[in-house]
Amino acid sequence: RDISTAQQDSLAYAEAEVQLSNGNFTNALQRFEAYLKNYPEGRYMIEANYYTGEIHSSRKEWAKAAEGYEAVAAKVPNRFGEKSLLQAARLNFFDLKQYEKAGTYYASLKEFASTQENKLEAMRGLLRSQYQLEKWPEAQDNAKELLVYKSANADDKVLANVVLARAAEADAQYDLAISYYKNV
């Protein structure tokens, strides 16, 4: 019996989802990857990429997990967008040490965060990424925003002041740099 491409798309995804629901993660991963290969712009590509990222993350396969989350993050806003932005940023910063990518995802998370907790983590992560990359001028606005953010803790304020001091030092504003270092 002939079935349409849309029906094939749905059936292929459903097959993978059943395996996931049954806890057969290896089979689910194979089917999600086959789904994404056959239907790269399929109706369930966001879900398939997200679950692929989740399975790889549970296996500590950080690079592959990041790929799944990044594919979902590229399509925000969506159902898994905020969590995928957060996971992509964390994996790129802490595990893969790709600070440029991490900064990009933290910046997007800062924009799309629906909770104060995620917004604060986005601000922290963005500032840490900028610090690692020594992007002092770009980091100044975020550092100032973090200094006055109501949920910022003492460590956040220390990092923000260090970044502001480094930026002032880079601009040869040594008195201003010293004042920020004194705050630290």
Side-chain angles (χ1 to χ4, degrees):
R1 183 172 170 187
D2 290 337
I3 57 174
S4 70
T5 304
Q7 288 172 319
Q8 289 174 4
D9 177 314
S10 294
L11 288 172
Y13 176 77
E15 184 181 12
E17 197 172 50
V18 166
Q19 294 299 318
L20 181 67
S21 297
N22 291 337
N24 299 328
F25 300 117
T26 301
N27 290 339
L29 184 60
Q30 289 171 350
R31 285 180 172 81
F32 282 129
E33 288 174 344
Y35 173 82
L36 290 167
K37 182 180 177 201
N38 294 327
Y39 307 98
E41 295 298 320
R43 181 174 180 193
Y44 301 100
M45 71 81 102
I46 289 173
E47 291 85 350
N49 276 302
Y50 177 76
Y51 292 129
T52 299
E54 290 283 284
I55 294 169
H56 283 300
S57 184
S58 72
R59 295 176 173 188
K60 298 182 180 2
E61 297 168 347
W62 307 130
K64 289 184 177 186
E67 286 176 21
Y69 294 127
E70 289 169 4
V72 177
K75 302 282 187 182
V76 291
N78 63 63
R79 178 174 133 188
F80 299 111
E82 187 170 349
K83 184 168 185 202
S84 293
L85 283 168
L86 181 61
Q87 292 298 91
R90 285 176 177 169
L91 288 171
N92 278 295
F93 187 88
F94 294 108
D95 298 302
L96 303 175
K97 310 293 186 216
Q98 295 181 1
Y99 303 117
E100 191 75 44
K101 281 176 97 174
T104 300
Y105 291 115
Y106 278 125
S108 292
L109 179 61
K110 185 178 170 184
E111 181 182 339
F112 288 103
S114 63
T115 66
Q116 294 296 327
E117 182 180 319
N118 282 349
K119 182 163 175 105
L120 180 60
E121 183 166 346
M123 292 167 70
R124 284 176 180 152
L126 178 58
L127 194 59
R128 288 179 184 146
S129 297
Q130 291 167 328
Y131 181 88
Q132 290 293 329
L133 297 167
E134 298 182 7
K135 291 187 168 186
W136 311 125
E138 295 92 336
Q140 288 182 75
D141 290 339
N142 191 36
K144 289 175 184 174
E145 188 178 354
L146 188 56
L147 276 175
V148 297
Y149 198 72
K150 65 182 176 186
S151 300
N153 63 29
D155 289 341
D156 298 331
K157 293 178 182 182
V158 166
L159 180 60
N161 276 300
V162 167
V163 166
L164 291 170
R166 292 275 180 102
E169 202 174 340
D171 287 342
Q173 297 176 347
Y174 301 114
D175 291 337
L176 183 58
I178 289 169
S179 72
Y180 284 124
Y181 281 128
K182 284 182 180 178
N183 289 338
V184 173

